[in-house]
């Protein structure tokens, strides 16, 4: 729920939210010196905040940078005190800034969406072949090298626990395992069902360093399955990739999804009939029935609902409605002067709890 201040909206009309002079807030900070075209702005302590006496940082200056490389350089030069980095820079940061690199789990999952309007990529055995060919442990540790975790299901680790207190994915089976023998078995089945010796699939991916590296890894793994598994890679800007997904101009792709509320349903909806980024409307009657049961919250306890969600995640692992890849890491460079600033699985860091210590 994102309520809007009705009095401010009535007063400012279409100017509401267009710049810091026309923004209403009741949090620990007020935004200053901002409009939609600016790359810098300030957060200034809100003296009217109910808990203002506990807010230590009085002013925070924000600066937008275009690349992780710029973030790293600015931190090296001590021009900034905190920033986020990613990709290949993480390994260097851990060496250079051992005590100032903070790696946390992040509630964002990378996965492969498949085009169900195309006969080849609709084939379940082909999807299973590629999933079994992906060593998610190696992908996270040796390719990404940034603290990312191998996906266990479409739901990230750490988001929710079941009634016994265990992580959600402890109750998900079958697991997403690496098994070349099975990959080759399912590929042969796909060849028979499709009536093709050579199967061509193009993998669409955003043109970032991380996604390019992931795509190249998946491409190499497909070749291990069979020389007749011809997986090519096409890297394009993210906005164009989303457009191609929406217009069904793809075979398979790589994409990430994060949530802003702690409930597995937001990830399970990636393969639900009404899912907003279920681009080709993949559906399965058994899976959809589970989704409908999960959404009928009046006839179940919270514990029963989690069990239904685990069943849905298990079924999705089996049916490969989407193919989960890895869970993102949140990696920040943070000067030792900043205390009390943590990075949650869902949402963003809360500066009101931070302090500055020299």
């Amino acid at each position: 729920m994102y309520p809007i201040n009705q009095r401010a909206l009535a007063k400012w009309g279409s100017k509401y939210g267009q710049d810091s002079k026309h923004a209403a807030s009741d949090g620990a900070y007020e935004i200053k010196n901002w409009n939609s075209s600016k790359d810098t702005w300030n957060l200034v302590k809100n003296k009217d905040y109910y808990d203002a006496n506990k807010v230590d940082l009085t002013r925070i200056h924000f600066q937008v940078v275009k690349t992780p490389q710029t973030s790293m350089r600015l931190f090296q030069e001590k021009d900034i005190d905190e920033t986020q980095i990613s990709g290949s820079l993480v390994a260097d940061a851990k060496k250079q800034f051992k005590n100032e690199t903070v790696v946390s789990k992040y509630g964002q999952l990378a996965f492969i969406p498949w085009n169900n309007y195309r006969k080849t990529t609709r084939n379940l055995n082909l999807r299973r072949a590629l999933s079994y060919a992906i060593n998610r442990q190696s992908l996270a540790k040796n390719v990404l090298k940034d603290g990312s975790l191998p996906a266990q299901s479409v739901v990230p680790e750490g988001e929710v626990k079941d009634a016994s207190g265990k992580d959600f994915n402890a109750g998900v089976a079958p697991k997403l395992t690496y098994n070349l023998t099975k990959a080759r078995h399912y590929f042969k089945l796909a060849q028979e069902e499709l009536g093709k010796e050579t199967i061509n699939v193009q993998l669409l991916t955003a043109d970032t360093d991380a996604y390019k590296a992931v795509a190249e890894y998946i491409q190499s793994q497909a070749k291990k399955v069979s020389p007749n598994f011809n997986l090519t890679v096409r890297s394009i800007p993210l906005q164009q990739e989303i457009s191609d997904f929406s217009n069904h101009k793809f075979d398979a792709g790589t994409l990430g999804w994060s949530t802003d509320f702690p409930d597995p349903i937001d990830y399970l909806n990636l393969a639900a009939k009404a899912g907003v980024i279920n681009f080709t409307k993949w559906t399965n009657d058994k899976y959809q029935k589970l989704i409908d049961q999960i959404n009928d919250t009046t006839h179940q306890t919270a514990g029963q609902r989690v069990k239904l969600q685990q069943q849905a995640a298990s079924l999705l692992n089996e049916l490969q409605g989407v193919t989960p890849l890895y869970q993102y890491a949140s990696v920040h460079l943070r000067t030792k002067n900043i205390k009390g600033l943590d990075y949650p699985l869902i949402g963003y860091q809360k500066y009101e709890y931070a302090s500055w210590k020299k």
Side-chain angles (χ1 to χ4, degrees):
M1 183 180 179
Y2 298 94
I4 291 176
N5 186 304
Q6 292 185 347
R7 285 180 296 176
L9 182 61
K11 180 180 178 180
W12 295 327
S14 61
K15 293 181 179 179
Y16 183 91
Q18 297 302 305
D19 55 42
S20 53
K21 291 181 180 178
H22 300 94
S25 61
D26 60 0
Y29 293 94
E30 297 176 272
I31 192 167
K32 300 289 184 182
N33 311 117
W34 172 82
N35 63 50
S36 59
S37 64
K38 291 190 71 171
D39 284 340
T40 62
W41 64 89
N42 297 319
L43 291 187
V44 177
K45 182 176 175 178
N46 181 2
K47 61 181 176 59
D48 296 318
Y49 183 56
Y50 84 100
D51 218 11
N53 64 321
K54 292 183 180 178
V55 179
D56 186 74
L57 300 180
T58 58
R59 179 180 172 275
I60 306 166
H61 179 70
F62 283 83
Q63 175 181 345
V64 175
V65 296
K66 303 298 184 183
T67 66
Q69 287 81 3
T70 303
S71 294
M72 183 90 157
R73 177 178 57 78
L74 291 172
F75 191 82
Q76 287 170 329
E77 296 172 356
K78 299 186 178 180
D79 288 334
I80 56 175
D81 301 296
E82 184 222 5
T83 191
Q84 189 167 9
I85 60 171
S86 60
S88 58
L89 292 175
V90 175
D92 291 337
K94 286 180 178 179
K95 295 175 184 176
Q96 190 173 349
F97 304 107
K98 183 178 179 181
N99 297 319
E100 296 173 297
T101 303
V102 184
V103 181
S104 309
K105 292 178 188 175
Y106 189 52
Q108 184 170 357
L109 193 103
F111 63 98
I112 296 175
W114 298 87
N115 191 340
N116 294 282
Y117 293 133
R118 295 183 177 177
K119 182 179 179 181
T120 297
T121 46
R122 188 169 64 240
N123 185 275
L124 172 57
N125 285 317
L126 179 66
R127 298 180 183 206
R128 284 174 171 166
L130 189 61
S131 182
Y132 275 116
I134 298 169
N135 186 332
R136 291 167 177 81
Q137 292 279 356
S138 182
L139 174 61
K141 183 179 179 180
N142 302 320
V143 178
L144 292 164
K145 302 178 185 178
D146 62 356
S148 295
L149 298 171
Q152 300 178 63
S153 77
V154 77
V155 179
E157 180 183 327
E159 194 196 38
V160 72
K161 294 181 179 179
D162 62 20
S164 68
K166 294 181 179 178
D167 184 75
F168 177 89
N169 285 309
V172 174
K175 303 297 184 185
L176 295 167
T177 56
Y178 170 59
N179 190 319
L180 263 184
T181 301
K182 285 189 175 182
R184 289 165 179 158
H185 167 73
Y186 285 116
F187 185 75
K188 286 181 180 178
L189 291 179
Q191 287 175 307
E192 293 171 6
E193 290 169 350
L194 295 169
K196 295 179 180 179
E197 184 175 353
T198 299
I199 296 179
N200 299 306
V201 174
Q202 185 185 78
L203 188 68
L204 192 64
T205 185
D207 60 352
T208 65
D209 290 345
Y211 274 128
K212 284 179 181 177
V214 169
E216 288 171 4
Y217 169 79
I218 294 173
Q219 184 181 42
S220 69
Q221 292 303 107
K223 279 300 177 190
K224 290 181 182 179
V225 175
S226 170
N228 293 317
F229 194 171
N230 183 32
L231 190 145
T232 58
V233 175
R234 179 171 169 242
S235 296
I236 57 177
L238 178 61
Q239 287 302 110
Q240 185 183 343
E241 183 191 25
I242 298 296
S243 175
D244 283 2
F245 281 148
S246 300
N247 293 315
H248 313 140
K249 295 178 179 179
F250 75 106
D251 291 332
T254 57
L255 197 59
W257 182 255
S258 60
T259 188
D260 52 10
F261 60 98
D263 191 323
I265 190 62
D266 200 31
Y267 296 96
L268 296 170
N269 276 336
L270 293 174
K273 192 179 293 184
V276 293
I277 62 169
N278 183 356
F279 293 107
T280 55
K281 301 302 177 189
W282 176 89
T283 188
N284 171 270
D285 289 343
K286 187 176 179 181
Y287 185 78
Q288 191 59 46
K289 184 178 179 181
L290 283 168
I291 295 296
D292 293 341
Q293 286 179 279
I294 291 163
N295 289 331
D296 181 14
T297 56
T298 58
H299 295 96
Q300 59 193 305
T301 65
Q304 289 171 332
R305 186 167 181 269
V306 170
K307 284 186 177 180
L308 286 171
Q309 290 175 322
Q310 288 172 322
Q311 290 175 32
S314 299
L315 187 60
L316 199 56
N317 277 5
E318 181 183 342
L319 297 176
Q320 296 292 309
V322 297
T323 298
L325 294 172
Y326 61 92
Q327 179 177 345
Y328 286 62
S330 171
V331 186
H332 289 79
L333 293 173
R334 186 184 65 199
T335 178
K336 289 180 282 188
N337 297 108
I338 300 175
K339 308 295 181 183
L341 186 62
D342 296 317
Y343 305 98
L345 187 80
I346 297 170
Y348 303 94
Q349 57 268 39
K350 293 180 170 57
Y351 291 99
E352 66 180 285
Y353 301 124
S355 60
W356 183 269
K357 304 294 181 184
K358 287 190 177 181

